[in-house]
Amino acid sequence: SLWSVSRRPGYLRLITGRTDTLFVAARNTLTQRTFGPQCSGSVAVDVTNMKEGDFAGLALLQRKFGLVGVRYSDGKKSIVMVSAQTGKPVDVQIVPLTGETVFLKAVCDFRERADLANFFYSLDGSDWMPVGSQLKMEYSMPHFMGYRFGLFNYATTTPGGYVDFDWFRLE
């Protein structure tokens, strides 16, 4: 009941159904395995119907995760890059957002065991701007083997907000 591909045909809608304090505790996440030697995942997301406290976007999921998304806080939406490189999530960069559609991308490099990821955002789907810091992907088994792209939406204050993912592209 917390996802739909028919409420807005052509989009994946993720609806918040409970509150969580951390990304890794949230259950409203759709994942796809990364692959080598290089890959990227990008997404277009409509954030019009988020509620105060909601956080939605694109993650590289593992114990030491990284993500880029939109957080609705204090009546404003912002693009936020979060890194859990040190074992605890930290807001690395926050960029004010005035529009209702944002494009997010994560690029992975597994060549010669580099295991590096970089995050980007775009306001038009063409001009990509780096955001936050580079993530050194570290493999551990608490979640699953390897990193996974994750489309997520969770509430920290009040459930019921939603976002619409227009497309997700793997390259």
Side-chain angles (χ1 to χ4, degrees), residues 11 42-46 101-104 128 164-169:
Y11 291 77
S42 57
V43 65
V45 59
D46 180 341
T101 298
V102 67
F103 304 85
L104 308 170
W128 293 95
D164 290 326
F165 292 95
D166 186 0
W167 46 259
F168 174 65
R169 294 188 181 127

Side-chain angles (χ1 to χ4, degrees), residues 57-106:
L58 174 65
L60 282 170
L61 180 57
Q62 181 50 276
R63 185 172 62 89
K64 293 187 176 181
F65 64 87
L67 61 83
V68 60
V70 175
R71 181 183 293 146
Y72 191 6
S73 179
D74 296 324
K76 297 176 275 194
K77 293 176 185 164
S78 300
I79 298 165
V80 181
M81 188 277 173
V82 175
S83 175
Q85 184 78 65
T86 63
K88 294 190 180 211
V90 175
D91 290 357
V92 177
Q93 186 175 356
I94 300 171
V95 179
L97 176 66
T98 55
E100 297 298 340
T101 298
V102 67
F103 304 85
L104 308 170
K105 183 190 293 189

Side-chain angles (χ1 to χ4, degrees), residues 8-52:
R8 184 176 178 188
Y11 291 77
L12 168 65
R13 178 168 291 176
L14 291 181
I15 307 157
T16 63
R18 67 181 204 185
T19 60
D20 288 293
T21 56
L22 295 172
F23 162 69
V24 291
R27 296 293 175 248
N28 216 3
T29 304
L30 179 69
T31 70
Q32 164 68 49
R33 185 173 300 278
T34 59
F35 52 89
Q38 295 173 285
C39 66
S40 68
S42 57
V43 65
V45 59
D46 180 341
V47 297
T48 304
N49 296 292
M50 294 177 80
K51 286 189 171 186
E52 180 75 24

